[in-house]
Amino acid sequence: MKRFFFRASFVLLLFVLAQIISACEQNEADSSNEPLRHNTYTPADNGTDEKTIKIGFSMDTLLEERWLKDRDLFKKAVEKLGAEVEILAANGDDAKQIWQAETLISNGIDLLVVTPHNAESTAAIVKKAHSAGIKVLSYDRLVKNAEVDMYVSYDNEKVGELQARAITSIVPRGNYVYIGGAETDNNAHLLKKGVFKVLQPLIDKEAITVVFDQWTKDWMPANAKANMEMALKANNNQIDAVIAANDATAGAIIQVLEEQGLAGKIPVAGQDAELAAAQRIVAGFQTMTVYKPINLLAETAAELAVKLANGEVVTSDQKVNNGMIEVPSILLTPIAVDQTNLDKTIIRDGFHTKEEVYQSKKH
Ligand code: BGC
């Protein structure tokens, strides 16, 4: 009997021990599951955080039609690459652009894209970004005298050349008016360089005379209008051709010509392929524009921005001197557009629809 009790209590003891061991194993399994579960959804726990890249885009203005395209296409391209973007526009105010860039930096961006209003004063933005460990990509317009990491634009000197070639082929002799862009924008200088590269040999031959040559403060059409009124007045309306730095200013210039009964009689060049300009080309009021497919610019810049933000090495075959360094650059090719190729350029690309362009609106 004693033996029976001894055996029974031994079996009981074994059973209890087995229960305890199994409970422990279960506990162990549970606790070892914990970090595993965490690892699968918060990699931050093991220090390999793959957080979403955030790009900041500091724009000068949204005034011209093109900048709305730039904003929307850049956002779309960045998001397609799995990154996010915060965009602020300064409405042509230098101080505002600097504090907006500071805001983007303190909002935790990984890379800053800048389209400067003022090529020189935005150098301060590059310094601030760099001291926060953030690289800077100059978009369309170059930031001068700063250690910009990358520059993506169209070949702006070529834009000027295309304008001048188109106009001189129609008006090889006569009085020319040059109405430039904003002096504070590096692009305005490049455009002018391109224009005068073509005009200079004709000036030297005394075939053409540049009777008026002015910048347009802040690219404002109202300032271009005032310039054109002055040009006509100073030359008793004896003007044979006008080269305007963009379509928005060309629109204002053509208005002045219209008031003088001269619209459609004097060739005018612009750039940007704005819808109103395409319509003026169809109506015969503007001779040509220069088309810069914004999707290419936005997509190229977005791709480079995300790569730079990820710390990847990006290569470029061109360099542009910004007064301080040779900036690695990508310069896309602009396209001259007149009545003969509207359809196979901007319309074919869907930049504007055929219906919009051919509605025969003048301004
Ligand atoms: C751009 C033009 C634009 C102008 C005014 C320039 O820097 O290259 O496309 O029309 O700025 O915004």
Side-chain angles (χ1 to χ4, degrees):
M1 196 60 181
K2 242 184 191 175
R3 219 174 185 178
F4 169 77
F5 273 121
F6 178 74
R7 270 196 193 151
S9 39
F10 183 68
V11 168
L12 190 68
L13 184 68
L14 281 180
F15 177 76
V16 170
L17 275 175
Q19 290 300 310
I20 292 170
I21 289 167
S22 147
C24 283
E25 276 176 353
Q26 187 60 41
N27 265 348
E28 238 173 66
D30 283 353
S31 56
S32 67
N33 261 350
E34 277 278 298
L36 260 180
R37 252 189 280 129
H38 275 303
N39 282 347
T40 54
Y41 67 87
T42 50
D45 282 353
N46 60 11
T48 58
D49 185 5
E50 291 243 339
K51 80 168 184 73
T52 307
I53 290 289
K54 184 169 175 182
I55 309 292
F57 189 8
S58 161
M59 301 184 76
D60 162 26
T61 175
L62 293 171
L63 211 63
E64 285 87 6
E65 180 183 287
R66 67 153 292 179
W67 298 114
L68 295 170
K69 282 188 196 268
D70 287 271
R71 181 195 62 189
D72 297 346
L73 292 167
F74 183 76
K75 184 171 190 292
K76 197 169 150 200
V78 168
E79 286 173 353
K80 205 168 161 199
L81 294 165
E84 56 185 55
V85 61
E86 185 177 350
I87 305 174
L88 295 174
N91 296 325
D93 181 333
D94 290 348
K96 191 169 177 185
Q97 186 161 31
I98 294 177
W99 71 248
Q100 284 184 336
E102 283 169 346
T103 305
L104 292 171
I105 293 167
S106 57
N107 284 354
I109 54 167
D110 300 291
L111 183 122
L112 182 64
V113 175
V114 183
T115 300
H117 170 251
N118 185 315
E120 301 284 347
S121 51
T122 35
I125 292 178
V126 179
K127 272 200 179 153
K128 282 176 204 270
H130 279 178
S131 54
I134 297 165
K135 289 191 171 145
V136 180
L137 184 148
S138 227
Y139 182 101
D140 192 77
R141 300 177 179 169
L142 185 60
V143 177
K144 302 265 321 251
N145 295 312
E147 296 194 43
V148 178
D149 298 282
M150 190 90 210
Y151 172 46
V152 186
S153 185
Y154 275 87
D155 182 339
N156 289 285
E157 202 176 314
K158 183 85 189 287
V159 173
E161 273 180 59
L162 293 175
Q163 292 181 312
R165 262 196 244 137
I167 301 300
T168 52
S169 71
I170 304 168
V171 184
R173 323 185 63 80
N175 289 344
Y176 270 62
V177 167
Y178 182 69
I179 299 197
E183 198 176 0
T184 47
D185 177 355
N186 187 53
N187 284 349
H189 294 266
L190 297 171
L191 296 169
K192 187 168 183 182
K193 194 171 167 202
V195 166
F196 279 82
K197 196 166 152 186
V198 176
L199 297 190
Q200 200 55 52
L202 297 166
I203 296 171
D204 294 344
K205 278 202 299 192
E206 293 179 1
I208 68 168
T209 310
V210 177
V211 294
F212 189 87
D213 170 5
Q214 286 292 326
W215 302 110
T216 301
K217 190 173 185 308
D218 285 337
W219 289 96
M220 289 305 218
N223 298 333
K225 186 170 182 275
N227 272 337
M228 191 61 209
E229 284 165 351
M230 231 189 295
L232 286 169
K233 204 164 171 204
N235 294 282
N236 297 319
N237 285 8
Q238 298 307 299
I239 303 293
D240 300 298
V242 183
I243 298 178
N246 72 355
D247 286 340
T249 52
I253 289 162
I254 291 167
Q255 238 171 45
V256 177
L257 291 177
E258 206 173 12
E259 284 158 17
Q260 299 294 318
L262 294 171
K265 295 185 182 144
I266 298 176
V268 178
Q271 72 147 327
D272 284 340
E274 283 195 353
L275 176 59
Q279 291 167 341
R280 287 192 297 264
I281 290 174
V282 170
F285 290 93
Q286 184 170 326
T287 313
M288 64 90 70
T289 183
V290 179
Y291 170 44
K292 301 182 293 185
I294 301 299
N295 62 323
L296 280 186
L297 177 64
E299 283 159 20
T300 308
E303 205 181 308
L304 290 166
V306 172
K307 278 190 179 162
L308 286 168
N310 272 319
E312 285 177 45
V313 178
V314 297
T315 51
S316 74
D317 42 11
Q318 297 179 70
K319 297 251 187 293
V320 174
N321 191 296
N322 74 344
M324 182 181 271
I325 58 161
E326 295 285 325
V327 185
S329 305
I330 292 188
L331 301 181
L332 303 164
T333 309
I335 303 158
V337 172
D338 60 16
Q339 275 184 359
T340 64
N341 66 346
L342 270 168
D343 291 36
K344 49 182 200 276
T345 53
I346 59 175
I347 292 171
R348 189 204 56 195
D349 284 7
F351 199 71
H352 303 301
T353 67
K354 194 164 188 144
E355 293 68 37
E356 289 169 330
V357 170
Y358 285 96
Q359 67 169 17
S360 291
K361 202 174 144 225
K362 287 178 286 177
H363 302 298

